[in-house]
Amino acid sequence: MGDQSNSRPVTGYPATGYPQPQSNTNPNCYPSAHPTYSTTTTTAGTAYPYAAPPPQTTYYNPNPYYGQNYTNPRATFLRRLFAILIASFIITGTVVFIIWLVLRPRLPEFRVDSVSLSNFNVSPSSQITGNWDVRFTVRNPNHKITLYYDRIEASVYYKSQPLSDTTMPPFVQDTKNETAVRATFAASSTYVDGWVVNAINQDRTRGRVGFNVRLFSRVRFKAGAWRARRRFLRVYCPDLNVGITSNNAGGTLVSGSRQCRVGI
């Protein structure tokens, strides 16, 4: 038998004091599908950890409002003002519409009943003299609104040439009421254009001359405690044909009563 003084007993591996490797095999000696890795590396019994990730760099933000929910006060004010204006417009329109549904305001009606012309003369020097007496019937068709005519200005024309104007007295017209009004005009040697003289003389040879009357008035609409602001009423009465020839100086309306156009 050999020398047993140099032999040492056989022990299990690894020896005590060395790091134990982690097993990555299954009991049946096949490698594991998900091996487990150690977070340290060993070399000659010394463990070395993995390097830590570098620290994140912090940057200085020179604008403290950048990235924040910052609201512009002026833009907020403008949005609120715009919203208030829209709401006011809607409310006002709704109120006006309701008042219109309740009152149903309508414009007055004007009708020329008669026209008489006297002392009418057209001189070769383009001067016209005459007196017009025009009578109207004014009707208020409203059931709940009273009309107040504060001032009425009237003018008589031949085509587009003004001949005379006057002012009619104010009056009040109750609901569903008809009122007779009168306007008198006087022209004393009023100068007109030459084409007016020639056209009137031609009309007189045919037995009638046509005149136009225009009215302009400030009117108030009132229904109980409700009052509308003053309106400017315009009335136009065209083609008032007066029977007058070259041999006489007067005449009357020959075309019957005429309805006038009314607008605001």
Side-chain angles (χ1 to χ4, degrees):
M1 296 181 67
D3 188 3
Q4 297 181 356
S5 59
N6 298 326
S7 63
R8 288 182 290 185
V10 178
T11 60
Y13 291 92
T16 304
Y18 288 87
Q20 297 291 330
Q22 295 183 356
S23 174
N24 61 350
T25 59
N26 291 325
N28 56 6
C29 298
Y30 287 96
S32 175
H34 303 284
T36 303
Y37 296 94
S38 176
T39 58
T40 60
T41 304
T42 60
T43 303
T46 304
Y48 293 91
Y50 285 130
Q56 297 182 355
T57 304
T58 302
Y59 296 96
Y60 171 71
N61 186 4
N63 186 1
Y65 298 104
Y66 181 78
Q68 299 183 6
N69 187 14
Y70 176 71
T71 302
N72 189 347
R74 182 176 181 182
T76 302
F77 172 76
L78 292 177
R79 284 195 298 269
R80 291 178 179 176
L81 179 61
F82 187 68
I84 293 174
L85 291 177
I86 292 179
S88 301
F89 179 77
I90 294 175
I91 294 174
T92 303
T94 303
V95 172
V96 172
F97 180 70
I98 293 175
I99 293 176
W100 181 84
L101 287 178
V102 174
L103 300 179
R104 295 294 179 92
R106 298 172 59 186
L107 295 177
E109 301 172 359
F110 282 71
R111 184 183 70 241
V112 175
D113 294 326
S114 64
V115 178
S116 62
L117 177 61
S118 60
N119 301 323
F120 188 69
N121 180 56
V122 180
S123 67
S125 59
S126 299
Q127 291 180 341
I128 290 181
T129 300
N131 297 305
W132 291 262
D133 188 348
V134 184
R135 299 178 183 270
F136 302 87
T137 295
V138 183
R139 179 175 179 269
N140 180 9
N142 295 283
H143 294 270
K144 301 178 180 180
I145 298 178
T146 302
L147 301 179
Y148 293 79
Y149 301 87
D150 295 334
R151 179 183 176 89
I152 304 176
E153 298 177 356
S155 302
V156 60
Y157 291 77
Y158 176 80
K159 300 186 184 300
S160 60
Q161 176 71 51
L163 303 178
S164 179
D165 53 50
T166 188
T167 301
M168 302 168 59
F171 65 95
V172 179
Q173 194 170 35
D174 203 355
T175 60
K176 304 295 293 183
N177 179 265
E178 288 189 354
T179 305
V181 295
R182 176 186 178 188
T184 58
F185 306 91
S188 178
S189 300
T190 302
Y191 177 80
V192 294
D193 294 335
W195 68 268
V196 176
V197 176
N198 296 331
I200 290 179
N201 290 331
Q202 292 179 1
D203 291 341
R204 295 181 72 175
T205 59
R206 289 191 291 265
R208 62 177 60 185
V209 179
F211 299 97
N212 304 322
V213 174
R214 296 180 181 179
L215 306 179
F216 184 79
S217 174
R218 291 193 298 267
V219 181
R220 290 178 294 155
F221 294 78
K222 181 180 178 182
W226 176 81
R227 293 183 181 183
R229 63 183 180 88
R230 290 180 180 180
R231 302 283 183 173
F232 292 96
L233 190 70
R234 295 175 174 83
V235 182
Y236 180 58
C237 308
D239 302 329
L240 303 177
N241 294 317
V242 176
I244 183 172
T245 64
S246 301
N247 299 325
N248 55 39
T252 57
L253 185 66
V254 297
S255 56
S257 61
R258 302 282 297 179
Q259 202 70 26
C260 302
R261 304 172 191 172
V262 182
I264 290 181

